[in-house]
Amino acid sequence: MIVMDIQINNFFAFKNFHMNMSYPKKIVDSYIQEEFLKERPNFRYKKVNILMGANATGKTSFGRMLMMIFNFMHKKQSKEITDDICDRGLEASFSMDFITNTYDLYRIITKVAPKIEGEYEISDIHVCVKKVKINQKDSYESCKSRIDKLLHKPKNSFIEELEIVEGLSWLFEYPENYDKYSIPSKNIERYQQILEYTLKALDPSITKVDRIDNVENSFVLRMQNQSVIMQDGKIIEPNILSSGTKAGIAIANVVASIINGDNGFYYCDEKFSYIHSDIEKAFLSVIIDSLRSNDQLFFTTHNTDILDLPLPKHSFVFLRKDSNDESQPIKCISAAQYLKRNTDSLRNAVDNDLFSSAPSVDYVYKIADLS
């Protein structure tokens, strides 16, 4: 599954927000392989999207917005989107261009009417889903032009309209998801190895990961002086494990899922907050190398050492929040918009705050004045 373009208004803190995941020309000798639709080399898309920015700039909320849209299309329940409307007194809307597991470009356009009191009803939600075939020589731009012109009369209800969408598949991992982990459903032996190698890299006290015989999806995390059981993705006695080790289980699940080709769309949000920078860079390199054709990764981080990886500049997106701008408080800035030449340094641009995305420390230093 691939997201090509998204516009958001009046959900979470997003107003008039826009992010595009296409890029204009092929990158020669790119570190990222097959950054185009399989068998459609002109249909280029950003396979790897590194989201950076200060705290509270919308990195996690953006992922939750995408997951909300995916769940809305899958479950066809209005509550999936109405719970996250920012101002119920105003219309809320989103539009998204995406590809599932076929050579079709979809566009979903959703508008939710204002509703100051009471529950939202089916009649308050208007959904239009368009679809065009992606031909052999098509680019995203040519398909977008066709879908812009496509006339489509929506069905009687958004539930019927969403029946048009097929082949959704995704995996989201968030920092707080430590209560229960999603164990990959296939290649359990390989998952066991990935889990063991991951935990050993993060926690020197982990000596081995064993499967429990005759108990499905159950493992023993063996440490030097004790053991911890994980059954059906739930840790028994989780307080024994450090935050970094718990994050490692989620990281292993992401890596295994990508290697297995389980989903196609992956959003990994701040899973390395408790983990050394070099290990994060190493894992991200493995994740990128393991992506398959027509996969897409979103990866959020505060670690500026990631800037040193040999990735195309268009892979980096910076989110900036300006609470004084009521019309567009969160802005999306692609590094490729500013850095046009191969010799332009992304690291220097960030160090000099070219994207105006650095956190403000003014209030921190004001604390010192209080003394």
Side-chain angles (χ1 to χ4, degrees), residues 113-356:
K115 191 84 170 183
I116 297 176
E117 295 181 355
E119 296 292 327
Y120 285 95
E121 300 174 1
I122 289 180
S123 58
D124 296 322
I125 302 170
H126 306 278
V127 176
C128 175
V129 177
K130 298 182 180 182
K131 181 173 74 169
V132 296
K133 204 73 181 170
I134 303 173
N135 299 316
Q136 190 104 30
K137 296 184 178 180
D138 274 338
S139 64
Y140 168 66
E141 290 72 22
S142 63
C143 290
K144 179 181 179 299
S145 178
R146 293 206 307 274
I147 212 167
D148 286 342
K149 299 173 184 176
L150 184 65
L151 298 177
H152 173 72
K153 184 179 179 181
K155 295 180 171 57
N156 294 328
S157 73
F158 73 81
I159 298 174
E160 293 181 73
E161 187 71 6
L162 290 173
E163 293 290 345
I164 298 172
V165 181
E166 298 177 335
L168 296 170
S169 178
W170 65 83
L171 175 65
F172 287 83
E173 280 289 353
Y174 289 104
E176 66 273 23
N177 291 357
Y178 291 147
D179 292 336
K180 189 171 182 178
Y181 301 88
S182 301
I183 304 298
S185 58
K186 56 187 179 182
N187 291 317
I188 296 299
E189 292 80 7
R190 183 164 63 188
Y191 170 69
Q192 178 185 343
Q193 287 186 307
I194 292 171
L195 181 62
E196 179 175 317
Y197 294 156
T198 300
L199 296 185
K200 281 183 174 180
L202 301 179
D203 187 345
S205 68
I206 299 290
T207 59
K208 190 173 178 55
V209 173
D210 288 322
R211 290 177 64 189
I212 300 177
D213 294 336
N214 303 319
V215 183
E216 189 175 2
N217 292 332
S218 296
F219 303 86
V220 180
L221 315 183
R222 301 197 184 279
M223 308 169 76
Q224 292 173 348
N225 300 317
Q226 57 192 328
S227 297
V228 177
I229 294 175
M230 180 171 70
Q231 185 172 356
D232 283 331
K234 192 170 181 64
I235 301 291
I236 311 300
E237 296 185 280
N239 293 335
I240 294 176
L241 301 178
S242 69
S243 297
T245 307
K246 293 175 186 176
I249 299 172
I251 292 165
N253 295 344
V254 172
V255 173
S257 181
I258 290 174
I259 291 175
N260 290 342
D262 289 340
N263 296 283
F265 180 95
Y266 305 91
Y267 200 99
C268 187
D269 183 47
E270 294 290 353
K271 300 307 295 186
F272 293 84
S273 299
Y274 305 101
I275 294 170
H276 192 279
S277 170
D278 288 345
I279 292 180
E280 180 177 5
K281 288 170 63 178
F283 267 107
L284 180 55
S285 297
V286 169
I287 286 171
I288 292 172
D289 287 342
S290 301
L291 290 171
R292 300 189 177 198
S293 298
N294 298 359
D295 280 358
Q296 189 176 43
L297 170 71
F298 283 80
F299 187 93
T300 77
T301 183
H302 288 286
N303 182 7
T304 54
D305 288 344
I306 296 297
L307 299 170
D308 298 328
L309 291 176
L311 298 173
K313 293 181 179 70
H314 66 238
S315 296
F316 292 89
V317 176
F318 297 85
L319 297 185
R320 182 175 67 202
K321 191 170 186 179
D322 182 0
S323 299
N324 296 318
D325 187 347
E326 294 184 3
S327 64
Q328 193 181 25
I330 298 176
K331 295 178 176 62
C332 165
I333 304 162
S334 173
Q337 292 176 319
Y338 288 77
L339 307 177
K340 305 290 186 181
R341 298 172 298 182
N342 292 335
T343 54
D344 289 337
S345 169
L346 181 59
R347 164 70 79 167
N348 287 341
V350 172
D351 287 346
N352 291 289
D353 201 20
L354 176 64
F355 312 118
S356 300

